Amino acid sequence: RNLPSLLSQNYPDYEVIDKESIDEGFAVLYDTIMKEEEVTKKALIIDCGGGTTDLAECKFTKSKNSKNGAIKLEIESSSGDSDNFGGDKITERIFQYMKILYSDHFQEKPKRIIDDFIPSSIDIFQNVDENNSSEKLYENFKKAYLDCEKIIPTEYELHNNESSSNREKIKNNYYFLRELAEEMKKQFFVKSSIQRNTFSSDNDNKQDSDLNVIYLNKWSLSYFENNELTRVENFPEITFTIKEINQLIKGDIYAVVSKLLIKYDKDLNTYKMIKLSGQSCRIDIFKEVLKEFISGRSLRFSKSSNNDKSKELELKLSCVKGAINYFNDKNKGIIDPYISFINTTIPYSITVGNKDIIIKDDDINKSVGILTRTAQTKNIEILLKNSEDTKTIQHSIDISLY
């Protein structure tokens, strides 16, 4: 059963458009294009969502159709690279940092600061460039985090030998700290967000805003004391600042943007517009990082709103909003579009046994994977690898059902 028919069956009150679609990057950019004069421009779209950061490029020509007066749009759109960095990775970093500080607190040790792991004296961008990744930058931080498993255990899958009561406490540690980290990340987005219309100079007189974890009804965290897992319900008075979080995640954000933009390095100044999309792009560091690559270019993102919920919703729905407006304008005859997709490649690989079924970077429109099997075969093990070959997902398919 194909997806359009499945959607039509489950949502009979809605029209499912299955004969025409538009690229996600173009959908994000559409409203901005309609505000531009009659010109030819190139744009890059960086979409940082919850799980990935994606890059797309778009070249558009806007003019008047002499026959019917409609706005003529000629669009060349292509998907660029993708990276498995997103808001979830930021949550993970904050989770790790919180675990380190709370471990120090329960051991009654002096509170460590972010400078103990990522010194403010070093040039973070240069460090990432010299090592071609952020791994070296976070080396000491990672070691400190792993050492804390002996104090505040969260890797519940590694503690199968513990009692059922302890395993529940360890699982609670993971989900409780994860919840704290997620809530802190949301506060960080709100308190550090500014109206990002164009590149501007930094204000050195800004004060750091504290991110106080005061929003929970109860506190429930367990740590090892004299080989016993002790539950703590008193709220530890530890404050996290925006300056700390900035320093914590700056290397990760620079590494992913650098990776995505490196192949455009010589041509970046030919792009007249950079469009940021996705909730994670609200972080000021994205603007700071982009200034390292693009000097004097226009940085566009959603309009300002005094309501933080409205800002968050607008960023999440920018793609959907652009797609709806595009199809509405097309149906009304306001625009006369011609869209072509170029250089669209597959960002992952699929392997069965020792045979590559789908090869990474192949043309998505031409690549076809073929697998032969004997009649006796009942299950097929498929390996899916991401663009960096650093993460593998194994999936078993029962082909006797087909």
Side-chain angles (χ1 to χ4, degrees), residues 241-368:
T241 68
I242 286 177
K243 183 177 180 180
E244 287 178 291
I245 306 302
N246 265 321
Q247 199 166 328
L248 176 66
I249 65 176
K250 183 183 288 188
D252 281 326
I253 293 178
Y254 179 79
V256 67
V257 173
S258 177
K259 176 194 168 186
L260 293 177
L261 293 182
I262 191 164
K263 75 175 184 179
Y264 298 93
D265 190 30
K266 294 181 180 179
D267 301 320
L268 278 177
N269 284 328
T270 66
Y271 292 87
K272 303 299 181 182
M273 190 186 306
I274 303 294
K275 177 79 173 181
L276 297 182
S277 173
Q279 183 185 1
S280 299
C281 284
R282 293 179 65 180
I283 302 176
D284 292 342
I285 300 174
F286 269 97
K287 182 180 72 173
E288 181 183 347
V289 167
L290 283 168
K291 287 169 67 176
E292 294 290 311
F293 296 91
I294 308 165
S295 177
R297 299 296 93 190
S298 177
L299 180 65
R300 305 292 183 91
F301 64 105
S302 301
K303 287 184 178 180
S304 175
S305 169
N306 292 326
N307 188 303
D308 291 311
K309 290 289 184 181
S310 296
K311 288 181 182 180
E312 180 178 338
L313 185 62
E314 192 167 359
L315 281 165
K316 286 181 177 179
L317 296 180
S318 60
C319 175
V320 176
K321 180 182 175 184
I324 291 173
N325 289 341
Y326 166 80
F327 285 112
N328 282 340
D329 289 348
K330 183 183 177 184
N331 292 336
K332 293 175 182 177
I334 296 174
I335 60 172
D336 179 18
Y338 173 77
I339 302 177
S340 62
F341 300 105
I342 56 174
N343 299 329
T344 308
T345 59
I346 300 173
Y348 54 81
S349 63
I350 295 178
T351 305
V352 176
N354 295 322
K355 182 178 180 181
D356 293 327
I357 305 301
I358 298 293
I359 300 174
K360 184 181 67 176
D361 295 331
D362 273 3
D363 189 326
I364 198 169
N365 297 310
K366 297 179 181 179
S367 182
V368 177

Side-chain angles (χ1 to χ4, degrees), residues 123-135:
D123 186 325
I124 290 178
F125 298 162
Q126 183 178 345
N127 184 281
V128 173
D129 285 338
E130 290 175 351
N131 294 286
N132 295 317
S133 78
S134 59
E135 289 296 321

Side-chain angles (χ1 to χ4, degrees), residues 93-348:
R93 283 292 185 211
I94 298 174
F95 170 94
Q96 294 169 344
Y97 188 51
M98 293 175 73
K99 182 172 172 177
I100 292 172
L101 296 198
Y102 289 135
S103 293
D104 289 347
H105 174 80
F106 292 142
Q107 295 180 93
E108 299 183 352
K109 290 183 177 180
K111 176 187 173 184
R112 285 179 282 184
I113 59 176
I114 193 63
D115 264 39
D116 293 327
F117 314 108
I118 306 173
S120 56
S121 59
I122 70 170
D123 186 325
I124 290 178
F125 298 162
Q126 183 178 345
N127 184 281
V128 173
D129 285 338
E130 290 175 351
N131 294 286
N132 295 317
S133 78
S134 59
E135 289 296 321
K136 187 71 174 178
L137 179 68
Y138 289 101
E139 195 172 61
N140 292 333
F141 179 82
K142 182 178 179 180
K143 183 179 183 302
Y145 166 72
L146 293 176
D147 287 343
C148 290
E149 185 67 16
K150 295 177 291 188
I151 310 302
I152 302 179
T154 56
E155 303 291 335
Y156 52 87
E157 294 180 350
L158 302 179
H159 295 272
N160 291 326
N161 294 329
E162 294 285 345
S163 66
S164 59
S165 174
N166 278 357
R167 285 201 303 271
E168 284 301 313
K169 290 179 180 179
I170 295 170
K171 185 176 289 189
N172 174 78
N173 280 352
Y174 173 80
Y175 287 106
F176 183 73
L177 276 178
R178 190 80 184 184
E179 180 184 354
L180 290 184
E182 182 67 23
E183 289 300 319
M184 181 175 291
K185 182 186 72 174
K186 291 177 182 177
Q187 288 197 33
F188 176 60
F189 286 157
V190 171
K191 293 189 177 183
S192 69
S193 62
I194 59 172
Q195 183 64 30
R196 285 174 284 186
N197 289 319
T198 59
F199 288 121
S200 60
S201 60
D202 296 326
N203 185 349
D204 295 331
N205 295 320
K206 285 185 179 179
Q207 298 293 319
D208 292 332
S209 298
D210 288 343
L211 296 174
N212 297 304
V213 187
I214 57 174
Y215 41 81
L216 296 177
N217 293 326
K218 64 178 182 178
W219 185 271
S220 180
L221 205 58
S222 302
Y223 74 103
F224 277 115
E225 183 181 27
N226 299 323
N227 295 322
E228 294 289 333
L229 201 52
T230 305
R231 188 185 295 274
V232 176
E233 296 182 352
N234 294 328
F235 186 88
E237 296 181 3
I238 297 180
T239 300
F240 300 84
T241 68
I242 286 177
K243 183 177 180 180
E244 287 178 291
I245 306 302
N246 265 321
Q247 199 166 328
L248 176 66
I249 65 176
K250 183 183 288 188
D252 281 326
I253 293 178
Y254 179 79
V256 67
V257 173
S258 177
K259 176 194 168 186
L260 293 177
L261 293 182
I262 191 164
K263 75 175 184 179
Y264 298 93
D265 190 30
K266 294 181 180 179
D267 301 320
L268 278 177
N269 284 328
T270 66
Y271 292 87
K272 303 299 181 182
M273 190 186 306
I274 303 294
K275 177 79 173 181
L276 297 182
S277 173
Q279 183 185 1
S280 299
C281 284
R282 293 179 65 180
I283 302 176
D284 292 342
I285 300 174
F286 269 97
K287 182 180 72 173
E288 181 183 347
V289 167
L290 283 168
K291 287 169 67 176
E292 294 290 311
F293 296 91
I294 308 165
S295 177
R297 299 296 93 190
S298 177
L299 180 65
R300 305 292 183 91
F301 64 105
S302 301
K303 287 184 178 180
S304 175
S305 169
N306 292 326
N307 188 303
D308 291 311
K309 290 289 184 181
S310 296
K311 288 181 182 180
E312 180 178 338
L313 185 62
E314 192 167 359
L315 281 165
K316 286 181 177 179
L317 296 180
S318 60
C319 175
V320 176
K321 180 182 175 184
I324 291 173
N325 289 341
Y326 166 80
F327 285 112
N328 282 340
D329 289 348
K330 183 183 177 184
N331 292 336
K332 293 175 182 177
I334 296 174
I335 60 172
D336 179 18
Y338 173 77
I339 302 177
S340 62
F341 300 105
I342 56 174
N343 299 329
T344 308
T345 59
I346 300 173
Y348 54 81

